[in-house]
Amino acid sequence: HAKHRPPPPLECLQVATACVKSCDHARNIGVMFDSTLSLDRQISIVCKSALYSIRSISRIRKFLSMETAKSLIHALVTSKLDNCNAILYGLPKSQIQRLQYVLNSAARLVKLSRKHDHISPVLMELHWLPIEQRIKFKILLYVFKVINDMAPSYLRELLEPYKPTRSLRSGNKKLLKIQPYKLKSYGYRAF
């Protein structure tokens, strides 16, 4: 894991008349955020829950058709992997690999392939993107919605069209301006 700065010593934050104490983690919209934004705990929760579902489905897999198994996996596993996955962009590959292991296990269960069989052909046959591409797809979907006025205004305010200072071929390609950031550890992960 990348090294992060230690948090500043803060016992509590005064909000009106109340003193709000700091904590190591907090849940918001179903996602467990930790104080360093490493999302370790969130990934552990998703992996544990998804693997539990995979084990449960594996007990009855021999009685299911491939399409039924695929539907169960989508309902109970890939939905968990895809939920709020855009926040995982820019995490270290070791973190993403934990989720990829879960997706690979689900694919093997659907196709009844062996543990040591190569997984890429299985994923391709199922038309499933690897986790890293699923994350990028979700972000691109958000950007598409923002550009085409299908997203909330607060997201539209975050994206600024690229306008070259002189006439360039890239001027009419609907490119976006990359916002500057200060912190390499967090800034490049921003929307």
Side-chain angles (χ1 to χ4, degrees), residues 106-168:
R108 284 190 174 98
L109 180 60
V110 169
K111 296 298 286 180
L112 293 173
S113 62
R114 293 175 299 194
K115 186 176 181 179
H116 298 291
D117 290 347
H118 195 62
I119 195 64
S120 294
V122 175
L123 292 173
M124 286 177 63
E125 193 174 330
L126 290 169
H127 301 287
W128 290 1
L129 290 172
I131 294 293
E132 196 168 344
Q133 276 72 42
R134 291 170 96 93
I135 293 167
K136 289 177 183 176
F137 178 81
K138 180 75 72 74
I139 292 170
L140 290 172
L141 181 63
Y142 286 146
V143 171
F144 173 83
K145 287 182 176 185
V146 168
I147 290 172
N148 292 289
D149 292 328
M150 296 186 289
S153 59
Y154 67 88
L155 284 178
R156 275 184 249 135
E157 294 167 4
L158 295 174
L159 297 181
E160 185 179 334
Y162 169 70
K163 295 175 185 160
T165 54
R166 60 183 201 272
S167 179
L168 298 172

Side-chain angles (χ1 to χ4, degrees):
H1 304 295
K3 290 186 180 182
H4 298 283
R5 285 185 222 177
L10 180 68
E11 291 182 25
C12 73
L13 180 66
Q14 192 72 31
V15 178
T17 59
C19 183
V20 179
K21 293 184 178 182
S22 66
C23 64
D24 292 335
H25 57 275
R27 184 177 298 275
N28 188 12
I29 61 167
V31 177
M32 187 65 73
F33 291 94
D34 53 46
S35 60
T36 62
L37 290 180
S38 68
L39 297 170
D40 281 336
R41 193 174 184 127
Q42 170 65 16
I43 290 173
S44 294
I45 290 168
V46 168
C47 289
K48 182 178 179 181
S49 175
L51 288 171
Y52 176 81
S53 296
I54 289 171
R55 278 191 297 277
S56 297
I57 295 168
S58 71
R59 292 185 188 111
I60 60 168
R61 175 62 182 98
K62 62 185 173 185
F63 304 110
L64 304 173
S65 68
M66 188 177 82
E67 286 306 313
T68 305
K70 195 174 178 182
S71 294
L72 276 173
I73 291 293
H74 281 309
L76 301 173
V77 178
T78 59
S79 61
K80 292 173 186 167
L81 296 174
D82 291 339
N83 183 40
C84 297
N85 69 349
I87 64 170
L88 303 176
Y89 181 77
L91 285 181
K93 288 198 183 290
S94 60
Q95 291 288 69
I96 302 302
Q97 193 57 41
R98 293 170 60 197
L99 296 167
Q100 186 64 49
Y101 170 79
V102 173
L103 185 68
N104 293 353
S105 299
R108 284 190 174 98
L109 180 60
V110 169
K111 296 298 286 180
L112 293 173
S113 62
R114 293 175 299 194
K115 186 176 181 179
H116 298 291
D117 290 347
H118 195 62
I119 195 64
S120 294
V122 175
L123 292 173
M124 286 177 63
E125 193 174 330
L126 290 169
H127 301 287
W128 290 1
L129 290 172
I131 294 293
E132 196 168 344
Q133 276 72 42
R134 291 170 96 93
I135 293 167
K136 289 177 183 176
F137 178 81
K138 180 75 72 74
I139 292 170
L140 290 172
L141 181 63
Y142 286 146
V143 171
F144 173 83
K145 287 182 176 185
V146 168
I147 290 172
N148 292 289
D149 292 328
M150 296 186 289
S153 59
Y154 67 88
L155 284 178
R156 275 184 249 135
E157 294 167 4
L158 295 174
L159 297 181
E160 185 179 334
Y162 169 70
K163 295 175 185 160
T165 54
R166 60 183 201 272
S167 179
L168 298 172
R169 281 182 277 166
S170 62
N172 59 358
K173 289 189 176 184
K174 291 189 175 185
L175 299 175
L176 298 171
K177 183 179 177 184
I178 298 173
Q179 299 297 327
Y181 54 86
K182 293 179 181 175
L183 297 175
K184 172 75 174 146
S185 57
Y186 299 113
Y188 79 106
R189 288 177 52 196
F191 179 68

